[in-house]
Amino acid sequence: MRIAVLGGGVVGVAAAYYLARDGHEVSVIDRNALPASETSYGNAGLVSPGDSYAWASPGALKMFVTSLFRSDLGIKVRPSLDPHFLSWTWQFLFQCTPGRAYVNTLRKLRIAMYSKQCINELAAETGITYDSGQSGILYFYRSQQTLDQGARHMQLLARHGLVIEVVGRDRLIELDPGLAAARDRLAGAIYSPMDQTGDSCLFARNLGGWCEKNAGVRFRYGATVTGFAVDGARISAVLTDDGPVAADAYVIALGADSALLGRKIDLRLPIYPVKGYSVTVPVHADRPAPRLGGVDEDKLIAYSRLGDRLRLACKAEFAGYDRSHRPQDFSTLLAVARELFPDSADFQRAEYWAGLRPMTPTSVPILGRARYENLFLDCGHGHVGWTMACGSGRFVADIVAGRKPEIDPEGLLYAA
Ligand SMILES: Cc1cc2nc3c(=O)[nH]c(=O)nc-3n(C[C@H](O)[C@H](O)[C@H](O)COP(=O)(O)OP(=O)(O)OC[C@H]3O[C@@H](n4cnc5c(N)ncnc54)[C@H](O)[C@@H]3O)c2cc1C
């Protein structure tokens, strides 16, 4: 079958790999000049089933409302009369009950655990490198009280297969001596040895190159998808500013823009952009630097060691599709980075970035067939899309092939 994958972020490129592996003739269409030039470019780099908690929860409800009035929180909501924002918010609030949070978290954990296994198998099969780290992630806390709360909270994931170790300050520094300078500020951590780190941009670009060379995947860069041509129950072509592209099947993997394109064919996808920021700094070769990935749970900052670089990310801002950033957007992030790793990196040479998480109200991605016989979805991966990209791609390739996916599809499939 000829399959057009719309979107060459980490999600689209992973899907292209699995579809090509099934023998399909795959092309990837993207408006940028290289894969992973948007959200997959500068994320925090965590491959983290340990971060599977759905955002919508009773606690998030309080934070969401508080953030309307305060600007010093990790989350910022700019109220808007955009009907899509209002509709998304309404659906998000509906997911904030303990029962919904429980169901959504376990659905996410299922795809995240599967995906981590898929990433490792894919990397072994292709030999691609992506500055990966396989030694786990530390979710650390600054007070005994928040550590105890966090440890209780993490039990849900632990009961469903995530290996965790609750560690005090000494063991925390033993696990990652790169945090030694901040020792006195930290109470302890939840260590998740199953979690990993890696650069999703490098992953997507190296995998894209591998697919072009070894699996005949064709990348059509610099082409913006503008709509679809429909013929009865089927999509007959995808329309781009570079002309129509006809295929036998189409996979929407357009990240935060999936909802915008879906609307062209009356496909209502509950995906809204949630902006985040990151800085990437070169690590000093001769000084101590973090070895593992980490999340400062009290400051809501995540980081990864990516080869000779350190990447730190923060914030969840509801600001529509605006991808711009200003120096002041990074002040808290840089202050915490300097506090945790004062001698580790060259902060003068920071690369600044902002991107849009394609969030669903449930935090669960939207996968599978939708509305048309030959239209498939691989979108809405939210705050852990790098983690879920390979599992989602393999899942969607199974659905396209008419095979039973390797994991239970309950709650993962598109429902109109
Ligand atoms: C600050 C921040 C930190 C994060 N940290 C992590 C983390 O640590 N771990 C994790 O797992 N996830 C993390 N994420 C989430 C993760 O980055 C995303 O979920 C993931 O990158 C989404 O991938 P994607 O391929 O769906 O989207 P994208 O990477 O945005 O890809 C979509 C592609 O579609 C293309 N496109 C869009 N519209 C069109 C069009 N009309 N025509 C043609 N092409 C189009 C774009 O050019 C783009 O290449 C983070 C996100 C942010 C913002």
Side-chain angles (χ1 to χ4, degrees):
M1 241 193 327
R2 289 170 308 152
I3 303 185
V5 176
L6 317 183
V10 70
V11 169
V13 176
Y17 167 78
Y18 288 110
L19 290 163
R21 204 176 67 156
D22 278 349
H24 300 299
E25 195 184 306
V26 180
S27 57
V28 178
I29 303 173
D30 198 286
R31 62 188 170 196
N32 283 289
L34 286 171
S37 296
E38 298 202 0
T39 310
S40 305
Y41 181 81
N43 62 40
L46 304 180
V47 176
S48 48
D51 199 11
S52 286
Y53 278 96
W55 273 10
S57 67
L61 178 59
K62 194 169 151 215
M63 208 187 229
F64 195 85
V65 175
T66 314
S67 75
L68 291 167
F69 309 101
R70 281 178 54 184
S71 58
D72 59 333
L73 301 174
I75 168 171
K76 178 73 203 145
V77 182
R78 289 181 206 279
S80 157
L81 292 177
D82 170 9
H84 303 294
F85 169 72
L86 295 175
S87 158
W88 188 95
T89 303
W90 175 249
Q91 294 177 63
F92 178 83
L93 296 178
F94 181 74
Q95 298 297 328
C96 283
T97 63
R100 295 306 310 159
Y102 177 88
V103 167
N104 293 332
T105 296
L106 293 187
R107 286 175 178 167
K108 252 176 93 190
L109 180 66
R110 192 187 329 140
I111 184 99
M113 296 272 260
Y114 174 59
S115 192
K116 197 205 76 155
Q117 175 198 324
C118 293
I119 292 177
N120 293 344
E121 286 171 7
L122 184 158
E125 277 164 22
T126 59
I128 62 161
T129 56
Y130 54 102
D131 280 345
S132 67
Q134 308 280 330
S135 306
I137 293 178
L138 288 162
Y139 299 86
F140 58 79
Y141 295 83
R142 290 170 178 250
S143 76
Q144 191 61 45
Q145 191 198 356
T146 53
L147 173 62
D148 292 344
Q149 274 169 5
R152 277 197 298 278
H153 191 55
M154 207 67 154
Q155 292 309 314
L156 173 61
L157 303 187
R159 281 200 304 278
H160 289 85
L162 188 80
V163 176
I164 57 164
E165 184 188 349
V166 181
V167 301
R169 183 184 289 152
D170 291 344
R171 172 89 175 118
L172 166 57
I173 304 304
E174 188 189 316
L175 282 164
D176 197 346
L179 281 163
R183 188 181 191 286
D184 295 341
R185 296 176 197 276
L186 309 179
I190 298 159
Y191 174 47
S192 173
M194 296 170 86
D195 287 353
Q196 304 176 176
T197 51
D199 184 338
S200 66
C201 174
L202 211 50
F203 181 91
R205 289 183 181 178
N206 288 346
L207 181 60
W210 188 94
C211 285
E212 257 180 321
K213 197 164 155 223
N214 300 288
V217 174
R218 180 161 175 228
F219 284 82
R220 302 173 78 117
Y221 297 120
T224 298
V225 177
T226 53
F228 300 89
V230 173
D231 183 7
R234 293 178 68 79
I235 301 287
S236 54
V238 58
L239 309 177
T240 80
D241 61 358
D242 195 27
V245 178
D248 302 308
Y250 305 84
V251 177
I252 295 184
L254 294 164
D257 287 53
S258 301
L260 302 180
L261 262 297
R263 278 177 221 151
K264 308 256 178 185
I265 42 172
D266 212 20
L267 181 64
R268 309 256 161 235
L269 298 173
I271 297 171
Y272 199 77
V274 180
K275 192 173 182 180
Y277 300 84
S278 76
V279 292
T280 308
V281 283
V283 167
H284 293 305
D286 52 344
R287 311 224 194 117
R291 196 174 68 81
L292 308 183
V295 180
D296 183 336
E297 292 282 1
D298 293 318
K299 301 277 182 184
L300 297 179
I301 281 169
Y303 64 84
S304 291
R305 172 76 179 267
L306 303 172
D308 57 5
R309 297 162 299 149
L310 181 60
R311 162 90 44 82
L312 301 105
C314 71
K315 275 200 195 163
E317 206 172 281
F318 290 77
Y321 285 85
D322 170 25
R323 291 174 168 88
S324 66
H325 55 77
R326 304 156 305 165
Q328 59 265 43
D329 294 321
F330 301 91
S331 48
T332 307
L333 185 55
L334 284 171
V336 176
R338 287 196 161 98
E339 184 195 27
L340 292 173
F341 314 115
D343 303 317
S344 304
D346 185 351
F347 292 100
Q348 301 303 324
R349 288 168 57 209
E351 182 191 351
Y352 299 97
W353 175 85
L356 303 177
R357 300 174 184 90
M359 285 305 298
T360 60
T362 57
S363 300
V364 180
I366 309 173
L367 310 175
R369 195 188 305 267
R371 251 184 100 83
Y372 297 91
E373 284 168 9
N374 60 345
L375 181 65
F376 298 87
L377 303 177
D378 192 357
C379 51
H381 290 78
H383 69 116
V384 282
W386 162 213
T387 305
M388 297 191 289
C390 288
S392 303
R394 190 159 176 176
F395 184 98
V396 170
D398 284 341
I399 302 274
V400 170
R403 280 191 304 264
K404 191 170 173 290
E406 293 183 311
I407 53 167
D408 183 356
E410 185 277 326
L412 302 176
L413 294 169
Y414 168 77

